[in-house]
Amino acid sequence: MGSRRTPLIHEDELSRWKAAFLKLPDSAFFELLRNYLGELKTPYNKHTLLESLEGYLRNPDIRARILAWIDPADALLLTAIFYLPHPSREALSRLVAGEFGYLELHNKLLNLQDRLLIYAIRDEAEEEFSLTPLLQDDLLERVIDPELLIPSRPAYAFQPLPLLLNDTLLSSLLSFF
């Protein structure tokens, strides 16, 4: 594998991602950043810390490690989040109802957020999930697959029934009519 390209990121998506992090309560914000960046130096500047986290996620080795831990259940949820127009917890719950119970889905979504694969945009009572823009290209290339949501089955060739028209059947039909 040659050198990896830098992911193409739209600035508005990156701004939404940063805004979502800045809206987190301080305890959750700093805990998450300590998990990835180690001990944080004071005085804290949230914007500078987010720039450090962005630099961390731009590292191809880090992205590869994050992607290596994605299991099939994660892939299903990431695919659902990518394809749903406004992926709220309720919409995801309806879509994957046969795979996860509501509490299990809640825990999976929290886990994906902790692993920086997704982030939540919270507006009043609404919560909408989105893929982390710094990982989106890699996720689209390696993980996101619409077949996870709508599995396809192999098509079987249509085999017409053998035609049973022979002399005996034709004479029987003529006699009948």
Side-chain angles (χ1 to χ4, degrees):
M1 210 183 271
S3 66
R4 300 261 322 151
R5 61 180 168 69
T6 304
L8 299 173
I9 300 162
H10 297 289
E11 285 303 314
D12 57 330
E13 291 175 19
L14 194 56
S15 296
R16 276 182 55 176
W17 178 74
K18 287 179 181 180
F21 265 85
L22 291 172
K23 288 181 184 177
L24 286 173
D26 284 349
S27 59
F29 177 85
F30 290 118
E31 182 181 333
L32 190 62
L33 276 119
R34 279 189 194 99
N35 284 341
Y36 290 96
L37 302 178
E39 195 55 40
L40 304 174
K41 294 180 175 42
T42 56
Y44 300 121
N45 180 327
K46 284 186 169 185
H47 295 281
T48 304
L49 291 173
L50 274 178
E51 294 296 325
S52 297
L53 183 61
E54 180 182 343
Y56 177 83
L57 288 174
R58 286 187 185 273
N59 181 330
D61 294 331
I62 298 301
R63 287 196 316 270
R65 270 193 262 158
I66 290 172
L67 295 176
W69 288 99
I70 295 175
D71 64 20
D74 296 336
L76 173 65
L77 284 174
L78 291 167
T79 300
I81 289 169
F82 180 75
Y83 282 108
L84 281 175
H86 299 285
S88 65
R89 190 178 312 271
E90 290 74 27
L92 289 166
S93 179
R94 284 190 302 271
L95 185 63
V96 296
E99 297 292 322
F100 308 106
Y102 192 80
L103 184 59
E104 185 180 5
L105 174 65
H106 173 77
N107 290 333
K108 281 291 222 182
L109 290 171
L110 286 175
N111 181 271
L112 290 173
Q113 288 176 69
D114 288 344
R115 291 163 45 204
L116 300 178
L117 290 161
I118 65 171
Y119 66 101
I121 303 153
R122 293 173 181 87
D123 292 324
E124 292 138 30
E126 292 288 318
E127 182 178 50
E128 184 179 307
F129 298 95
S130 190
L131 299 179
T132 298
L134 296 160
L135 298 172
Q136 185 167 326
D137 283 353
D138 292 315
L139 290 170
L140 286 170
E141 184 179 313
R142 301 182 196 174
V143 178
I144 304 297
D145 183 6
E147 193 170 308
L148 294 172
L149 296 174
I150 306 168
S152 65
R153 296 193 179 102
Y156 296 102
F158 175 71
Q159 305 252 340
L161 292 173
L163 191 56
L164 299 174
L165 269 174
N166 55 29
D167 293 339
T168 310
L169 181 61
L170 282 175
S171 64
S172 301
L173 285 172
L174 282 172
S175 299
F176 177 74
F177 291 114

